[in-house]
Amino acid sequence: NQAATASGGAWGDPHFTTFDGSYYDFQGVGEFMAAKSTIDKLELQVRQQEYGTGKMVSVNTALAFNTGSDVVAVYLNPKRISINKRDVGLTFTDIALSNGGRVTKNGDVLEIRTNNGDLLNVSFAPDFLNYVLLANRNRQSKMVGLLGNFDGNRLNDIAARGGLTVNPTDFKAFYSTFSDNWRITQSESLFDYESGKTTDSYTNKNFPEAEYTVTQTAYQQAFRTCTDAGINTEPALSSCIYDVALTGRANWATYYLDIQKTFQSAGLIAYYPFNGNANDVSGNNNHGEVFGEAPLTADRNGKTNSAYSFNGRNQFIRVANSRMLHGMGQEVTLSAWVLWKDQGHASILCKASSSIQQLQFQFFRNSSTKETFFHTNGGNIGASRFLLDIDKWYHVVMVINGTTRRFYVNGDLVGTVTDYPLIRPNFSPLEIGRDFFGATEFHQGFLDDIRIYNKVLSDQEVKELSNIDN
């Protein structure tokens, strides 16, 4: 059930995840093509340099990103940012790029957006750079590089130029065929260099000198360090364990909190934690407006003013249509924490007028049997019937993948149905707590931590999301 995902990146002493969800470690030293579009100028190049004295570890120290109209470069030593080879300083918060792109900076986190909807997230750590590239779905099967080809098949991601797959456990082949194939030439380079230096100045084809194997004792110690720091999901956990065990630096565990958060938010187009208001904290400004004076209430953990209560009559939250919300369709994941007090419909989300080919997510509960089933566009989902109680919190998720729907309760898959109508984009607002614009199916109960992703989450990702929220 590993779903193709649009996010790929590298962090620490570099641990890679490809667009299709394959994980591997790559300790090469030099400048490499991380991701390159085969249809336009989009390209990400990275610089990896030796770390420490053991001749086995490298880290990211620079990257250069061609957005299609501009080249944004980020450097660690010394720390600086340039656009089209001109330094822009470190104190800015927002810079407009040509052709609709933007660079925003919040502390040590940088976001670079293209006019195609691609997003590169870069974070500074004291010893290295971390990056995650969220590629637009229109780039599927149109990418090459260290982050794979984005064709939905993770088994062919670790490959040299031309598509020849390489086994990452074959140390010799991996650090010759694979590594050397993705090195950039001086004519390809997007970096700007100090006087007298070129891409060859950063190249070492004999690195790493040997493989590193984590001992059981080191693994156990690193596991405790990482989990104590709050790292509990993959790929951040395995990477944290490896790095702490390899370097002996316990403080590296704290860096993985940001990495874990970055991967959890990849593809997130709206998030409503309801912490005192109905604002979207995903960074996409899909803020909600409260109707009927719906009050804030305590959430499932007892924290006051951290969830919304709805009376089932006239209270709901409306989010104006936006470019991101309008585009929801073939690949969507909806997640929410729900408590309801009524025996009938529990309306969670709706973005529709009347067509069954529009977005609808709710429950219906039979008052006599206590049997509950999902309701979505096209009708009730009998295949996902289960027993739920009123006045109790549940984490519920619906995954839309074309004509297929998957439904989860508290992280467990409870039903799958196929051959449902495709979701079509529409100009209606998104409504929380009310079903169908102008209709009378309101939610009676509480709602909290609503997330909307423009990607398909896998079974494991849903499980991890449920565990984190809980």
Side-chain angles (χ1 to χ4, degrees):
N1 273 313
Q2 177 63 49
T5 176
S7 58
W11 56 94
D13 50 347
H15 309 286
F16 281 76
T17 182
T18 67
F19 294 122
D20 294 323
S22 183
Y23 304 139
Y24 69 96
D25 296 331
F26 176 55
Q27 306 289 345
V29 166
E31 295 177 342
F32 302 92
M33 184 185 298
K36 180 178 174 64
S37 168
T38 61
I39 57 172
D40 57 22
K41 294 181 179 179
L42 185 92
E43 182 173 0
L44 173 63
Q45 297 179 357
V46 297
R47 178 185 296 166
Q48 298 184 186
Q49 292 183 265
E50 180 179 350
Y51 179 83
T53 59
K55 301 297 182 181
M56 290 186 292
V57 181
S58 65
V59 292
N60 298 305
T61 60
L63 59 85
F65 184 47
N66 188 339
T67 67
S69 58
D70 300 274
V71 175
V72 181
V74 183
Y75 300 89
L76 182 64
N77 297 311
K79 187 176 180 180
R80 65 185 182 92
I81 301 167
S82 69
I83 299 178
N84 299 325
K85 299 189 177 183
R86 298 182 62 178
D87 283 2
V88 295
L90 299 171
T91 59
F92 71 91
T93 57
D94 185 73
I95 297 176
L97 299 176
S98 306
N99 203 22
R102 304 199 74 83
V103 181
T104 57
K105 186 174 181 292
N106 182 9
D108 284 329
V109 177
L110 197 69
E111 290 189 347
I112 307 168
R113 298 178 184 269
T114 75
N115 68 340
N116 181 60
D118 313 290
L119 169 65
L120 177 65
N121 179 294
V122 184
S123 59
F124 288 93
D127 299 322
F128 48 82
L129 298 174
N130 304 308
Y131 63 89
V132 176
L133 175 60
L134 183 64
N136 191 301
R137 289 281 174 179
N138 59 20
R139 297 193 182 280
Q140 283 191 294
S141 299
K142 300 169 185 174
M143 300 292 290
V144 296
L146 298 178
L147 302 184
N149 56 22
F150 193 16
D151 69 347
N153 178 13
R154 61 178 177 175
L155 299 180
N156 63 10
D157 280 350
I158 306 174
R161 296 199 202 200
L164 177 65
T165 57
V166 179
N167 183 355
T169 64
D170 184 338
F171 184 81
K172 184 177 180 180
F174 189 60
Y175 285 102
S176 57
T177 303
F178 180 77
S179 177
D180 292 345
N181 263 253
W182 292 117
R183 294 185 187 276
I184 62 171
T185 64
Q186 188 61 37
S187 61
E188 293 174 322
S189 178
L190 302 174
F191 292 101
D192 48 289
Y193 298 93
E194 298 175 10
S195 178
K197 288 192 174 183
T198 66
T199 187
D200 290 339
S201 306
Y202 297 94
T203 300
N204 183 352
K205 294 186 176 182
N206 296 316
F207 195 95
E209 294 185 355
E211 285 186 273
Y212 176 75
T213 301
V214 178
T215 67
Q216 186 66 21
T217 299
Y219 177 93
Q220 292 172 345
Q221 292 174 342
F223 178 85
R224 287 193 294 270
T225 298
C226 294
T227 53
D228 286 348
I231 314 302
N232 52 20
T233 65
E234 297 295 354
L237 179 58
S238 293
S239 302
C240 178
I241 293 169
Y242 183 88
D243 285 358
V244 172
L246 178 59
T247 65
R249 293 178 177 265
N251 64 311
W252 277 33
T254 59
Y255 308 149
Y256 279 93
L257 285 173
D258 287 336
I259 296 167
Q260 181 170 261
K261 182 179 179 180
T262 298
F263 273 93
Q264 289 164 357
S265 63
L268 189 67
I269 60 175
Y271 174 33
Y272 304 97
F274 294 153
N275 291 331
N277 54 51
N279 288 347
D280 167 28
V281 300
S282 72
N284 296 312
N285 296 318
N286 292 306
H287 301 312
E289 180 182 1
V290 179
F291 285 80
E293 299 182 351
L296 287 159
T297 188
D299 66 10
R300 60 196 176 279
N301 299 312
K303 184 178 179 182
T304 59
N305 297 323
S306 298
Y308 270 99
S309 175
F310 302 88
N311 61 12
R313 298 189 305 275
N314 65 342
Q315 295 175 335
F316 63 98
I317 296 170
R318 178 180 293 167
V319 181
N321 185 50
S322 68
R323 178 180 61 83
M324 283 190 168
L325 293 177
H326 175 76
M328 288 193 301
Q330 308 313 310
E331 295 182 340
V332 180
T333 299
L334 308 174
S335 170
W337 279 87
V338 180
L339 177 151
W340 77 95
K341 297 176 176 294
D342 181 50
Q343 301 289 354
H345 286 83
S347 298
I348 304 171
L349 293 172
C350 181
K351 191 178 189 300
S353 54
S354 61
S355 170
I356 64 171
Q357 290 187 303
Q358 295 179 2
L359 191 66
Q360 180 189 26
F361 182 31
Q362 63 177 185
F363 289 104
F364 187 83
R365 187 173 188 273
N366 187 304
S367 59
S368 59
T369 66
K370 298 184 179 180
E371 191 174 51
T372 311
F373 48 84
F374 282 91
H375 186 95
T376 184
N377 66 310
N380 299 332
I381 310 300
S384 61
R385 293 178 179 177
F386 46 91
L387 300 179
L388 293 184
D389 295 321
I390 60 174
D391 291 315
K392 184 175 180 180
W393 282 101
Y394 293 95
H395 180 235
V396 296
V397 173
M398 177 170 71
V399 175
I400 300 170
N401 189 2
T403 61
T404 299
R405 309 285 184 271
R406 299 203 312 267
F407 303 91
Y408 302 80
V409 176
N410 293 338
D412 295 327
L413 181 67
V414 297
T416 301
V417 294
T418 57
D419 299 325
Y420 258 66
L422 291 171
I423 301 293
R424 302 298 185 188
N426 65 83
F427 293 95
S428 299
L430 172 73
E431 297 204 338
I432 301 171
R434 181 168 78 158
D435 180 55
F436 285 134
F437 186 76
T440 56
E441 292 176 350
F442 291 86
H443 180 63
Q444 184 175 351
F446 304 158
L447 293 174
D448 194 18
D449 281 318
I450 294 175
R451 290 177 170 90
I452 304 174
Y453 295 85
N454 63 353
K455 69 173 187 176
V456 172
L457 293 190
S458 67
D459 287 353
Q460 181 61 31
E461 288 171 320
V462 172
K463 176 74 74 174
E464 291 176 352
L465 182 60
S466 182
N467 289 339
I468 292 165
D469 273 356
N470 204 28

